[in-house]
Amino acid sequence: MTARLPLAPDTAAASSPGLIPGVSPDLYREQDFVAISRILQTDAGIVLPRAKAMLVYSRIAPLVRESGAMTFSAYIDLIRKDPVARNRTICALTTNHTFFYREAHHFEHFAREVRPGLIRNLEAGGRARLWSAGCSSGEETWSLVMTLLGEDRAAGTRLAGMDVRVLASDLADHALERAEAAIYPVTDLKAVPRELVAPWVREEAETGILGPEARRLVSFRKLNLQGEWPMRGRFDVIFCRNVMIYFDGPTKERLVARLTEQLLPGGWLYIGHSERATGPAAAMLTQTGPTTYRKRMA
Ligand SMILES: C[S@@+](CC[C@H](N)C(=O)[O-])C[C@H]1O[C@@H](n2cnc3c(N)ncnc32)[C@H](O)[C@@H]1O
């Protein structure tokens, strides 16, 4: 198998339609890329442009090798029958790029416009429900949790004792594991205002570890946004950022409709900087700022 891994660029392959330059056509062909793309789109909604053919190769070749399959085609036959191998393949093809306090204006808006109302409601005996959908390795979730708990350790600890829950979900197991571990290089936390990090993160040498008050609030779940959503309750706030960029138009519209349905009246939806809330459900949302939406009261 190892001997058959990528060969030197092959000019004949490069110029022949249906072949992928740089890889032996005995091992990985255009039709293999198409088959893997279809599986990924069916299972996860993610659309892979043709330009990603080599990326697919580099992400999947180690799994092909490990499985003992001699070609991508044999590996594709295997994942059609084996749900565990199929899940690993899907996870390996997700893009998990994220960072703390990404699109800072969302967290600033949340702190200024949303948090005070949530606190008032909690203090009156109500509850607060937040969802970080497509949380990747957790930087978004923990940025949100630190912003929710705030700068005052005593007040934040009291808040953490109230009926407040954060759901953090993703499709990719490896990303969720990192999110739940909640351990990051301190340099990664630099973008978050120091006053929000200091009360909730324990720093040991070069490592920052989210503390128990923050961790207690969050439940991590593997959840495919294209599948069933097991949650019964609705949310005050949903962050679903930089996830639907990978989906086609109808899939985006369906997702916006489902997210809107999952919001309480007056609830807030934050999406990624290059995304838009589209489709019929968008009529139920009022855009209040860049990629920031509020569900209408009725
Ligand atoms: C680029 S990351 C964005 C992370 C974070 N929300 C942010 O904005 O920094 C996209 C995440 O969406 C997840 N994802 C993609 N398709 C998904 C699906 N169908 N269901 C759930 N998560 C999905 C990927 O696994 C990945 O971790």
Side-chain angles (χ1 to χ4, degrees), residues 129-166:
R129 295 291 181 265
L130 294 84
W131 181 16
S132 168
C135 66
S136 187
S137 39
E139 288 83 343
E140 172 183 280
T141 313
W142 296 119
S143 300
L144 180 59
V145 169
M146 287 187 273
T147 310
L148 174 68
L149 291 178
E151 299 175 11
D152 180 331
R153 188 166 163 76
T157 303
R158 207 162 59 80
L159 184 69
M162 298 185 195
D163 190 359
V164 45
R165 300 293 309 155
V166 180

Side-chain angles (χ1 to χ4, degrees), residues 13-30:
S15 57
S16 309
L19 299 179
I20 294 167
V23 183
S24 164
D26 294 340
L27 178 69
Y28 180 52
R29 298 159 303 162
E30 174 81 25

Side-chain angles (χ1 to χ4, degrees), residues 28-164:
Y28 180 52
R29 298 159 303 162
E30 174 81 25
Q31 66 211 66
D32 300 325
F33 166 72
V34 171
I36 291 177
S37 305
R38 287 212 181 109
I39 291 172
L40 184 66
Q41 187 167 4
T42 305
D43 288 14
I46 298 170
V47 179
L48 286 175
R50 171 67 179 69
K52 300 277 186 193
M54 280 311 286
L55 178 103
V56 169
Y57 176 79
S58 62
R59 297 258 182 101
I60 303 306
L63 302 183
V64 176
R65 198 181 303 133
E66 199 184 296
S67 75
M70 293 303 287
T71 61
F72 269 64
S73 156
Y75 182 72
I76 292 161
D77 288 343
L78 174 94
I79 64 173
R80 288 195 203 285
K81 291 181 229 127
D82 179 344
V84 175
R86 187 169 178 134
N87 176 56
R88 281 187 78 199
T89 307
I90 301 295
C91 291
L93 291 171
T94 57
T95 301
N96 311 116
H97 177 67
T98 185
F99 48 93
F100 276 98
Y101 227 58
R102 183 180 198 175
E103 293 164 57
H105 66 96
H106 283 158
F107 298 100
E108 290 157 5
H109 175 275
F110 172 79
R112 197 177 58 244
E113 306 289 337
V114 183
R115 181 175 179 267
L118 294 182
I119 293 176
R120 269 196 305 278
N121 195 27
L122 286 166
E123 283 175 343
R127 55 191 223 168
R129 295 291 181 265
L130 294 84
W131 181 16
S132 168
C135 66
S136 187
S137 39
E139 288 83 343
E140 172 183 280
T141 313
W142 296 119
S143 300
L144 180 59
V145 169
M146 287 187 273
T147 310
L148 174 68
L149 291 178
E151 299 175 11
D152 180 331
R153 188 166 163 76
T157 303
R158 207 162 59 80
L159 184 69
M162 298 185 195
D163 190 359
V164 45

Side-chain angles (χ1 to χ4, degrees), residues 36 75 137 163 223-224 239-241 265 277:
I36 291 177
Y75 182 72
S137 39
D163 190 359
L223 189 148
N224 184 348
F239 274 60
C240 185
R241 307 184 311 160

